[in-house]
Amino acid sequence: MPPAIRFDVVTVFPEIFGPVFAAGVVGRAMARGLVQLEAHDLRRYAHDRHRQVDDVPYGGGPGMVLKPEPLFEAIEEIKAHNSGPVILLEPWGERFDQGLARELAGEPGLVLVCGRYEGIDDRVRQAQADREVSIGDYVLSGGELAAMVIIDAVSRLVPGVLGDEESLAGDSFAGDELGHPQYTRPAEYRGLRVPEVLLSGNHKEIEAWRRAQARRRTLARAGAPRPER
Ligand code: 4FV
């Protein structure tokens, strides 16, 4: 049975993806063949003696830039078996959020290209990228963590990945509201009690309380001024 979604990642550190997705709901979905992930070693597409994947920036300046040739070759080889969008992970990309996660979950696959060092030769963006995505306004040492965030958030939205013990319904951002507070046994701990309504068994009142809490959280966050830094 073909996977529900296939992720191909281009990276200079392919070995870090296995351990991250060995456990948990995404790991289980991979074991069930619902989600497929292959991390491709960029160096495999550099054919000189030193397998050079980066070089000094034209115009001078610090650091190194990922070369176009290995990336073009890797992306073109991958596109033979993954018809999904080619996505560059870059801080100036479109912001990743639950809405974009839902959109990407509808794709047959994603080709995720991870930058390192000072970044990627811009010709890769010009000629190979369908989208550029950022997970947030900060600079990472590489695109790998951003790729992992996207793989996890998108995989959860693929039908069949979440068992009934996990549901999308209670997710924050499932609709336009944040999730409600959650509690489990014991009913009292360190003098802190679980709200009585949740112990009442009155599902109408419980649902009303949860909606009210979700709205309170959403308004609190919407109203919270982002500190100028
Ligand atoms: C990033 C972000 C990010 C910048 C230089 C990789 C690094 C290197 N990716 N959201 N924020 N990428 O900082 O996605 O290419």
Side-chain angles (χ1 to χ4, degrees):
M1 181 177 74
I5 194 165
R6 183 188 168 91
F7 300 101
D8 284 284
V9 180
V10 181
T11 167
V12 291
F13 297 119
E15 68 280 7
I16 67 173
F17 284 81
V20 169
F21 293 110
V25 68
V26 179
R28 282 201 299 279
M30 290 176 184
R32 292 159 52 206
L34 261 176
V35 171
Q36 236 173 7
L37 165 64
E38 186 171 352
H40 304 261
D41 186 347
L42 182 59
R43 289 194 193 288
R44 219 160 47 75
Y45 301 90
H47 307 300
D48 61 294
R49 204 149 47 78
H50 303 293
R51 299 195 150 209
Q52 188 178 353
V53 295
D54 60 337
D55 205 337
V56 297
Y58 271 123
M64 301 292 272
V65 173
L66 287 181
K67 292 167 60 61
E69 309 96 317
L71 284 164
F72 271 64
E73 207 180 304
I75 293 167
E76 286 164 0
E77 183 182 293
I78 290 166
K79 284 168 83 163
H81 62 254
N82 188 329
S83 59
V86 174
I87 298 177
L88 297 194
L89 290 311
E90 294 291 4
W92 58 79
E94 54 186 307
R95 174 59 68 79
F96 183 66
D97 62 11
Q98 196 68 5
L100 183 50
R102 275 195 289 269
E103 189 183 323
L104 296 176
E107 297 282 356
L110 304 178
V111 181
L112 300 166
V113 180
C114 304
R116 274 277 156 176
Y117 320 119
E118 297 313 307
I120 297 173
D121 184 289
D122 198 55
R123 290 167 284 189
V124 176
R125 178 188 61 77
Q126 295 162 32
Q128 296 285 354
D130 298 302
R131 308 179 83 154
E132 295 157 81
V133 173
S134 168
I135 62 167
D137 294 348
Y138 37 79
V139 180
L140 302 169
S141 56
E144 287 79 8
L145 293 175
M148 292 173 184
V149 164
I150 290 175
I151 292 167
D152 189 283
V154 169
S155 295
R156 296 177 75 258
L157 300 174
V158 171
V161 167
L162 289 190
D164 57 10
E165 73 277 8
E166 299 109 348
S167 77
L168 291 173
D171 264 3
S172 287
F173 311 110
D176 51 7
E177 289 204 327
L178 298 176
H180 54 74
Q182 296 280 6
Y183 295 85
T184 186
R185 285 185 286 256
E188 176 152 358
Y189 182 65
R190 301 285 181 87
L192 300 168
R193 278 196 62 69
V194 170
E196 285 311 319
V197 64
L198 297 180
L199 310 174
S200 69
N202 180 327
H203 292 292
K204 227 163 68 48
E205 283 192 13
I206 290 169
E207 201 37 48
W209 178 87
R210 284 177 168 171
R211 269 205 308 284
Q213 292 295 320
R215 194 162 320 105
R216 180 188 54 72
R217 244 186 197 171
T218 306
L219 294 173
R221 186 164 183 268
R226 294 175 68 81
E228 287 310 311
R229 277 193 258 268

